Amino acid sequence: MKTIQNKFKILLLLLVGATIASCSSDDDTSVEPPAPAETVLLDCDSFQSNNSDALFVLEDIGEGVDYLIDCVVSVEVDLVIEPGVVVQFTNGAGMKVKEQGSLNAVGTQSKPITFTSASETKGAWKGIITDSEKIKNRFDYVTIEYAGDDGLTSNSEPASLIISSDSYFRLNNVSIKQLELRNSGHSL
């Protein structure tokens, strides 16, 4: 009986020793963080109703800038921008929400939506203008910065956000930063 117990003890010691020996310090159990997503360059017709590949949702695809716009895009679809998205515009670019389209950008306090400039210069990009009467138009927890270049309206008035007189747009928790103030004879 003692030989069986001794053999059992030896076997148990061998198993414990093998287990300890198999755990080496070079085992990498850490998880690599995902590589940062690349910024998506949006085509000028990305939100046009006649484009079979039109985008209807802009998703938060990672840290930093999610989307880059290098032209004045026309929004002719019902576009939803999800919390945390950063849309960057090159100098002179902008966004026009057409009558048949809508823009729904609802961020959160911890994941706001940002419309910004690639150059971080006051007045670098044209801004956003809307002619849409749709009730879906909404900004909540949105920051618009470095906008206000001339050219979104027929009289080329500079502005970060232009809401036409017949348009509907609900605004909550919206910040407009780093704008260039000019004496145009109109109120801000």
Side-chain angles (χ1 to χ4, degrees), residues 58-70:
L58 294 184
E59 299 173 329
D60 183 4
I61 56 175
E63 293 295 317
V65 176
D66 298 300
Y67 302 93
L68 178 66
I69 296 175
D70 65 356

Side-chain angles (χ1 to χ4, degrees), residues 15-185:
L15 284 173
V16 170
T19 303
I20 291 172
S22 69
C23 295
S24 65
S25 61
D26 64 345
D27 288 343
D28 187 13
T29 58
S30 64
V31 176
E32 289 286 324
E38 288 190 31
T39 301
V40 175
L41 175 63
L42 296 174
D43 293 329
C44 294
D45 66 349
S46 291
F47 314 116
Q48 292 183 354
S49 55
N50 63 354
N51 178 359
S52 62
D53 295 324
L55 298 175
F56 294 89
V57 176
L58 294 184
E59 299 173 329
D60 183 4
I61 56 175
E63 293 295 317
V65 176
D66 298 300
Y67 302 93
L68 178 66
I69 296 175
D70 65 356
C71 57
V72 176
V73 295
S74 293
V75 178
E76 299 174 355
V77 298
D78 293 328
L79 177 61
V80 174
I81 301 178
E82 294 184 345
V85 168
V86 176
V87 180
Q88 190 177 70
F89 294 83
T90 60
N91 291 356
M95 181 178 283
K96 289 184 177 186
V97 182
K98 299 291 192 166
E99 191 174 320
Q100 69 271 31
S102 68
L103 179 56
N104 184 292
V106 178
T108 65
Q109 190 170 9
S110 62
K111 293 185 82 173
I113 295 167
T114 303
F115 296 97
T116 190
S117 168
S119 68
E120 295 187 359
T121 303
K122 293 178 181 181
W125 64 285
K126 293 186 182 299
I128 300 169
I129 186 171
T130 180
D131 292 323
S132 173
E133 297 177 18
K134 290 187 174 182
I135 198 164
K136 295 177 184 179
N137 290 311
R138 180 178 175 191
F139 277 176
D140 200 352
Y141 290 102
V142 169
T143 298
I144 301 171
E145 56 188 16
Y146 304 108
D149 187 16
D150 299 340
L152 276 177
T153 63
S154 59
N155 60 0
S156 295
E157 287 294 323
S160 297
L161 178 62
I162 301 171
I163 301 171
S164 299
S165 61
D166 292 335
S167 297
Y168 174 89
F169 218 100
R170 191 164 79 188
L171 303 171
N172 294 308
N173 304 303
V174 175
S175 298
I176 298 178
K177 300 178 179 179
Q178 301 296 331
L179 69 146
E180 185 172 339
L181 297 176
R182 301 178 190 165
N183 184 7
S184 64

